[in-house]
Amino acid sequence: MGPISRRALLRTGAVGGSAAGLALLGAPLPATEPVAAAAAGTGHQPLLTALVDTIIPATDTPGAAEAGVADFVTMMVERWMHPEERARFLAGLDSFDATVRRIHGHPFEALPPARRLEILQAMAAAEEGSVAGAPPAEGPFLARMRALAIYGYYTSEAGASQELELNLVPGHYEPCHDLQPGERAVSLGRNNAVLRMP
Amino acid sequence: MTSSTFDAIVVGSGISGGWAAKELTERGARVLLIERGRMVRHGEDYPGEHKAPWEFPFRGFGDRLLYERDYPVQRRGRGFEEGSVQFFVNDREHPYQVEPGTHFSWLRGYQVGGRSLMWGRASFRLSDFNFSENKRDGHGIDWPIRYADVAPWYDHVERFIGVSGAREGIDELPDGEFLPPFAMNCIEEHAKKAIESRFPGRRMINERTAVLSRDHNGRSACHLCGPCHRGCSTGSYFSTQSSTLPAAQATGRLTIMTDTIVAGVDYDPQSKRVTAVRTINSKIGTHETIGARLIFLNASTLGTIQILLNSRNESFPDGLANRSGAVGRGIMDTLKGPMITGTFAGFDQFQPVGNRPTGIYIPRFRNLAGRRDADFLRGYGYQGSGSRALWTRGVESRSIGPALKAELRKPGPWTIMLGGMGEPLPNDDNIVRLDPARTDQWGLPQLLVSHRWTANEERMAQDMADQGEAMLRAAGAVKVSTIREIKPGGETNHEMGGARMGHDPRESVLNGFNQAHDIPNLFVTDGSCMTSSPCQNPSLTYMALTARAADHAMTQLQQGAL
């Protein structure tokens, strides 16, 4: 059973599963609170979308743009960062935008994907060891951007359950399961069923 | 005035309070269970359970700005996160003070079930070795009980709650009545062989856990979802809600009163008995006095001390049951902080399926019977586990684009984490008292905590880090990273002591049955009763001592002795 259908069944309390009593799992899940779409006013959404989708592009699974990661980044900048972290992040974004326009003659989001990838790869190499601190709150600009893209993508429905494997209620335990060809990593696992940022 | 009278009042509905309510009602008592926090209904009030990351506003990472403002202490606790924040107190609303220059993190859950909802579930017995260690090395006072006194009550508790583990025949870590263990994974099996062969006398065993590996007593086996501390609607781990509360309710003799703070306990100097509790309704502020023949304090270690100290009267000018001056003295917590993580090469073809609710355990190997093999007294164990690194490792890689996705689609390298858990020396300088000036929103004195680690703990912590590194290297770790810093007291969630048991009323608060020396119908069976703080996780012992004390209290009550 795929993760989506299992989840849908969980909501109705109809999962059989191998563990006895899983039918009791039908406690209603409260509706998710809407995440503030605070991008309005900043005007950064096209650039953020291009950045996260270059870091995590569509392949045989959706990329970060389709997974809505730009909205996640905006939410984190608006509601998770301290004011000084937010100001530094937005200054970094503006500086990145201006530099790309100056050197390449176009905004980052208007460049072809291959060129965008080159720009970020060169920037990642240049940033190596430049500013201390743990992203996404600290560190050099691209490291913070990369961390936000990764956290946002692999906790999105597409990233967690299509790109990787997600089974919220495995129902059984195999300590040393033999990986089959093509089998992917899990998006939540022992010690990481709870996510923490540095 | 006394509005009604019960056979017994139990103050607090957490791990020990739930047990007191169960045992007392099952022995025929009409019991009032008083909880200062809100009702949490089993299954219905676990909003984080089985949620996917994208269903949380902050994807599970939590509302950092809110937590920094309202949960600066609670957020340091192990089980605190976006899916469980509702089970922790708001620090702004429930202030306490720490003596300048000292540190103490008071982790709290004010609700029915208390911290039984988000506890770590590790369940180990203490041994005769532990109960006699104060006497042996002269630190602290002697426990008035030994293993033989508690062993049948450990049996009783384990049979009821269900503890998964393996029998190992280790003298200092007695076996119990176990359900089958959750098996080790391949990297743990590998490390176990290497450590046990390279370090004679050391063992790596399954962590013993109050999670069901099989259906048990009408509760379902664990379904391996992972984050137990968000609540478990199948009742697969021990909590008040899953276990003791339904048993107590089934007797028809339990009354529950929520949102009710116990401000103090009334004492009658004529009969030399406690007679009633004085309560404040936390929502509407009304006061009430409720009588009972028997009172059990299970308000958590610091909560119980607060009630005792705040119950001064002419007979007990320094606090109820405090003729010894020992109430609030000798606060302890399991020493924690040093953590060693080893990264391993190989075993790439395996990946665990299911989020095992427990891990591995390395029992104490320092300063065991008849040996002194370290530059500190007492000893420590490790909790740990092996797992494959998740996608979060991508934050440290440099890849971008399709290469990043390809890298993170594969399971990461195997790692083993070991976290030290150590026994501090009993230390009367670690004190909880009432703040002379500050009160809370109900006008009750705030607590003032003074807690410091000593040089013995500092040396022990260094050995935890050194030995952990040595064992992981011996197991073949290709990279080892170590945290050596000790965490502030309280952060292990094992705060205990302050109303210790002892032989002598002049230096202890409780006798060997958790009964106040001077007040035969007052019992204290939460962590405050502890006379030392062995390195094994303590909750199973609180349960066993509570059941034993309840048996003693009911026997005395029925004989007319109370």
Side-chain angles (χ1 to χ4, degrees), chain B residues 143-378:
Chain B
W143 280 88
I145 53 172
R146 289 295 183 264
Y147 180 67
D149 298 307
V150 196
W153 298 101
Y154 279 129
D155 292 346
H156 175 74
V157 164
E158 287 165 348
R159 281 187 204 121
F160 182 72
I161 69 173
V163 174
S164 299
R167 298 180 70 84
E168 306 282 355
I170 300 170
D171 287 347
E172 294 85 1
L173 193 72
D175 290 330
E177 306 267 326
F178 297 138
L179 304 178
F182 290 90
M184 291 188 197
N185 60 42
C186 47
I187 198 76
E188 292 165 345
E189 291 281 7
H190 163 79
K192 172 182 167 68
K193 284 192 197 103
I195 290 169
E196 292 183 354
S197 68
R198 293 279 299 278
F199 298 89
R202 299 191 192 179
R203 301 285 306 278
M204 189 170 123
I205 66 173
N206 305 95
E207 182 189 322
R208 296 167 181 170
T209 184
V211 185
L212 305 180
S213 56
R214 285 184 183 160
D215 293 359
H216 180 74
N217 279 352
R219 293 159 48 210
S220 299
C222 171
H223 52 267
L224 288 304
C225 75
C228 300
H229 55 269
R230 292 176 180 176
C232 182
S233 53
T234 62
S236 303
Y237 70 87
F238 167 84
S239 65
T240 297
Q241 275 82 349
S242 72
S243 305
T244 47
L245 189 60
Q249 285 173 319
T251 65
R253 288 185 284 272
L254 182 73
T255 304
I256 304 177
M257 188 180 273
T258 62
D259 305 293
T260 302
I261 298 166
V262 170
V265 177
D266 284 344
Y267 175 79
D268 171 28
Q270 256 47 76
S271 62
K272 294 187 165 51
R273 301 287 190 273
V274 287
T275 55
V277 299
R278 281 173 279 116
T279 65
I280 303 172
N281 182 304
S282 66
K283 288 189 159 165
I284 52 177
T286 49
H287 292 237
E288 199 176 350
T289 298
I290 309 169
R293 300 164 70 195
L294 190 61
I295 293 175
F296 267 65
L297 293 182
N298 300 88
S300 84
T301 292
L302 268 59
T304 288
I305 293 169
Q306 190 169 26
I307 291 169
L308 291 173
L309 292 177
N310 202 41
S311 302
R312 282 174 292 216
N313 55 50
E314 284 182 10
S315 307
F316 293 97
D318 298 323
L320 191 65
N322 194 23
R323 293 217 169 101
S324 63
V327 172
R329 286 203 171 264
I331 301 300
M332 302 169 278
D333 184 26
T334 310
L335 174 69
K336 193 166 96 171
M339 185 176 288
I340 309 93
T341 305
T343 304
F344 291 78
F347 301 93
D348 283 344
Q349 69 275 30
F350 301 111
Q351 166 165 285
V353 172
N355 300 313
R356 187 184 53 181
T358 182
I360 57 91
Y361 189 70
I362 297 177
R364 174 171 163 182
F365 51 84
R366 287 298 197 199
N367 299 327
L368 294 181
R371 279 194 288 136
R372 176 82 197 273
D373 55 9
D375 62 352
F376 51 85
L377 294 170
R378 313 283 168 119

Side-chain angles (χ1 to χ4, degrees), chain A residues 48-191:
Chain A
L48 281 177
T49 303
L51 273 165
V52 298
D53 209 50
T54 304
I55 295 166
I56 304 177
T59 52
D60 56 343
T61 62
E66 189 183 336
V69 174
D71 287 342
F72 170 78
V73 174
T74 302
M75 186 278 293
M76 292 291 280
V77 172
E78 295 293 327
R79 292 178 53 192
W80 188 87
M81 287 186 178
H82 291 147
E84 66 279 11
E85 293 164 352
R86 182 184 311 135
R88 204 158 49 83
F89 182 84
L90 292 174
L93 197 59
D94 285 339
S95 163
F96 175 81
D97 185 37
T99 306
V100 171
R101 285 173 194 264
R102 193 179 69 241
I103 294 173
H104 299 277
H106 294 282
F108 183 76
E109 56 267 33
L111 296 173
R115 173 57 57 85
R116 292 189 215 162
L117 182 59
E118 285 169 15
I119 292 171
L120 294 193
Q121 283 170 333
M123 195 174 167
E127 273 188 353
E128 195 77 6
S130 61
V131 182
E138 297 166 334
F141 171 72
L142 183 60
R144 280 178 280 147
M145 191 66 234
R146 243 179 116 268
L148 288 171
I150 290 169
Y151 285 128
Y153 180 72
Y154 290 100
T155 58
S156 73
E157 187 158 4
S161 67
Q162 293 178 49
E163 172 62 19
L164 300 182
E165 296 282 339
L166 177 65
N167 190 345
L168 290 170
V169 185
H172 72 293
Y173 173 54
E174 262 184 89
C176 297
H177 165 72
D178 233 326
L179 280 169
Q180 303 304 305
E183 202 171 345
R184 301 169 184 205
V186 294
S187 55
L188 290 178
R190 166 71 185 157
N191 293 341

